[in-house]
Amino acid sequence: MKLAVLSGKGGTGKTLVSVNLAAVAEQAAYYDCDVEEPNGHLFFKPEQVTEKTVVVKTPEVDPDDCIGCRKCADFCKFNAIAVINDKAMVFPDVCHPCGGCELVCPAHAIFETERPIGKIAKGVSGNVSVTSGILNMGEESGVPIIRTMLKEIKAAKQDLVMIDCPPGSACVVMESIIDADYCILVAEPTIFGVHNLNMVYELVQLFGKPYGVVLNKCLDGENPAEQFCVEHSIPILGRIPFDTELGRLNSNSEIVSRVDDKYHQLFSGILQQVKEAAAQ
Amino acid sequence: MRIAVPVEENEKDICPSFGRTPLFYIYDTDTKEGHFIDNDAMNAPGGAGIKAAQTVIDAKAEIVLVPRCGENAAKALEAGNVKLYESVGLSIEENIQAFLDGKLSVVTDIHPGFHGHGGH
């Protein structure tokens, strides 16, 4: 079962939920797709870590061969090529490496080179295999790293695969949930939290994914996120209390369900709820 | 010498966006005549600055008057030997005159680009 964990903004509890659900499972694979700021590894502290560089193809122009015909610039719908003084000039940061310019060039003046944009680190933490996508600073898009991880996610043999998504509902999140069997939306008990929840709620509906909500930072009294779930008949999978001890353990990068039995029970309960909801 | 200015659809005001301006006003200092050309990059999904720079270079402009500019556009314009001067206020005529009088300074606000995230 592949579970994606989403929220409309950062700091809602995606990593808390994905890390702990993986930790309470018998055997699990955890994938950190939040490639701009991956932090799951800080909790798992994986061992036997191996790293693999992720590259994207970038066109380069040999100015001696370029005849300035503009076929490449006309072809590129991302406007990543300008032809100045009859020579093609490539702007790598707007290139979506499709290889088209190389194909249409009649002078064979364009060739592709590889440019590293980040890496994927793999390791083991007890019952969990931990994979983190890490985008290099200053890079525009983490999508190629997520796509590389998706190939592994598809082939993962573990019973439980946790996909820790980037925050929001943009392209990188859409990529991350493509192969998910079920989506867990994590929500904070505020009006702002409802707005963020609505963003990912709309997204999972658009993708036709089954979904449920985990209410995080729950306090006594009114919970606008809970009201939203009731109004929209969204299943509530569990409630994580606004708890000083949990907060302290988590901010010290401990996996709460591994250090305290009461949290182990809490997350085991949520995992059970998710399994039942996903089976329907 | 030709001067290019990004202009709003009203054909009067200078547009703050180089890449996504609807029009360019191309003024020829020799003939003292000017005309408007469309900016095909106006609604481009990406790389608007690059495409707009191509349009300006193809129009044989050597000078662009603009309040600010993205770095990809600036790079393309530089490669095409086009110089960027900072416009003041909205009037096309006043800015062209100010440039000819040597009163405009070189553009210093080269930003990393808005890449579909607003900026107006």
Side-chain angles (χ1 to χ4, degrees):
Chain A
M1 184 170 57
K2 297 176 174 60
L3 304 177
V5 182
L6 302 85
S7 73
K9 73 166 188 70
T12 311
K14 289 181 297 300
T15 299
L16 172 77
V17 169
S18 7
V19 164
N20 281 282
L21 291 184
V24 298
E26 251 176 59
Q27 206 201 13
Y30 166 88
Y31 287 88
D32 200 342
C33 289
D34 190 3
V35 298
E36 286 176 30
E37 45 230 333
N39 60 349
H41 64 281
L42 300 176
F43 295 92
F44 282 118
K45 304 169 188 70
E47 294 170 342
Q48 304 154 44
V49 177
T50 54
E51 291 182 348
K52 186 170 77 179
T53 303
V54 178
V55 296
V56 293
K57 293 200 183 316
T58 305
E60 256 183 55
V61 181
D62 186 336
D64 294 337
D65 289 343
C66 179
I67 55 173
C69 70
R70 298 195 178 208
K71 288 205 166 113
C72 55
D74 292 342
F75 177 83
C76 183
K77 67 172 177 170
F78 298 102
N79 300 317
I81 303 178
V83 180
I84 295 161
N85 301 329
D86 288 334
K87 298 291 171 197
M89 181 176 176
V90 178
F91 293 80
D93 60 331
V94 282
C95 171
H96 290 54
C98 69
C101 53
E102 187 181 358
L103 287 174
V104 300
C105 177
H108 304 293
I110 299 184
F111 53 97
E112 284 188 322
T113 54
E114 287 184 340
R115 186 171 65 90
I117 59 155
K119 61 186 179 184
I120 293 171
K122 294 180 80 71
V124 180
S125 168
N127 59 326
V128 185
S129 84
V130 180
T131 308
S132 306
I134 303 158
L135 182 68
N136 288 346
M137 223 178 272
E139 283 297 336
E140 192 107 330
S141 170
V143 169
I145 296 179
I146 293 172
R147 286 202 179 142
T148 310
M149 287 205 286
L150 276 179
K151 284 183 198 150
E152 291 183 22
I153 290 173
K154 267 189 186 153
K157 289 182 182 67
Q158 287 87 347
D159 291 339
L160 183 70
V161 176
M162 295 305 310
I163 306 167
D164 194 355
C165 295
S169 53
C171 304
V172 278
V173 181
M174 299 183 207
E175 289 287 339
S176 304
I177 67 168
I178 283 174
D179 287 313
D181 301 312
Y182 190 86
C183 292
I184 300 171
L185 318 180
V186 185
E188 287 179 348
T190 60
I191 308 268
F192 183 47
V194 171
H195 173 80
N196 293 307
L197 172 60
N198 192 34
M199 283 165 59
V200 281
Y201 169 61
E202 285 180 3
L203 182 75
V204 292
Q205 282 186 308
L206 196 67
F207 275 68
K209 297 282 179 189
Y211 53 87
V213 166
V214 169
L215 299 166
N216 193 15
K217 308 180 191 178
C218 291
L219 293 155
D220 290 338
E222 236 176 61
N223 184 337
E226 182 163 7
Q227 284 169 8
F228 180 87
C229 292
V230 172
E231 281 162 21
H232 294 83
S233 310
I234 304 168
I236 295 170
L237 306 161
R239 291 172 178 79
I240 302 169
F242 191 70
D243 173 345
T244 319
E245 195 189 339
L246 187 149
R248 193 179 58 245
L249 286 169
N250 196 56
S251 52
N252 284 325
S253 69
E254 297 280 1
I255 298 176
V256 294
S257 59
R258 279 187 183 167
V259 294
D260 191 324
D261 191 50
K262 81 174 172 232
Y263 299 127
H264 191 279
Q265 282 179 24
L266 172 72
F267 284 98
S268 298
I270 294 174
L271 185 58
Q272 192 53 39
Q273 286 288 322
V274 175
K275 281 181 177 167
E276 284 168 21
Q280 279 174 12
Chain B
M1 181 177 62
R2 287 184 173 189
I3 300 170
V5 191
V7 182
E8 301 280 9
E9 260 161 7
N10 64 12
E11 300 191 354
K12 261 176 60 195
D13 299 336
I14 292 184
C15 175
S17 169
F18 174 78
R20 298 196 179 276
T21 183
L23 301 166
F24 283 107
Y25 181 66
I26 308 291
Y27 179 77
D28 192 318
T29 55
D30 300 330
T31 62
K32 297 192 169 43
E33 279 176 6
H35 63 281
F36 292 96
I37 56 172
D38 288 334
N39 175 27
D40 296 338
M42 183 185 175
N43 295 313
I50 299 163
K51 195 170 186 183
Q54 180 87 64
T55 301
V56 164
I57 291 166
D58 291 347
K60 301 199 166 25
E62 290 167 52
I63 302 292
V64 169
L65 309 182
V66 69
R68 61 173 190 227
C69 187
E71 63 186 3
N72 278 336
K75 222 156 94 182
L77 291 169
E78 192 192 342
N81 291 321
V82 180
K83 302 267 182 301
L84 287 157
Y85 285 85
E86 196 168 325
S87 60
V88 178
L90 296 177
S91 163
I92 306 172
E93 289 76 16
E94 282 174 26
N95 274 284
I96 289 176
Q97 197 52 52
F99 168 75
L100 293 172
D101 295 344
K103 286 179 186 162
L104 297 186
S105 51
V106 171
V107 170
T108 47
D109 186 7
I110 306 289
H111 59 79
F114 297 113
H115 303 264
H117 297 287
H120 274 283

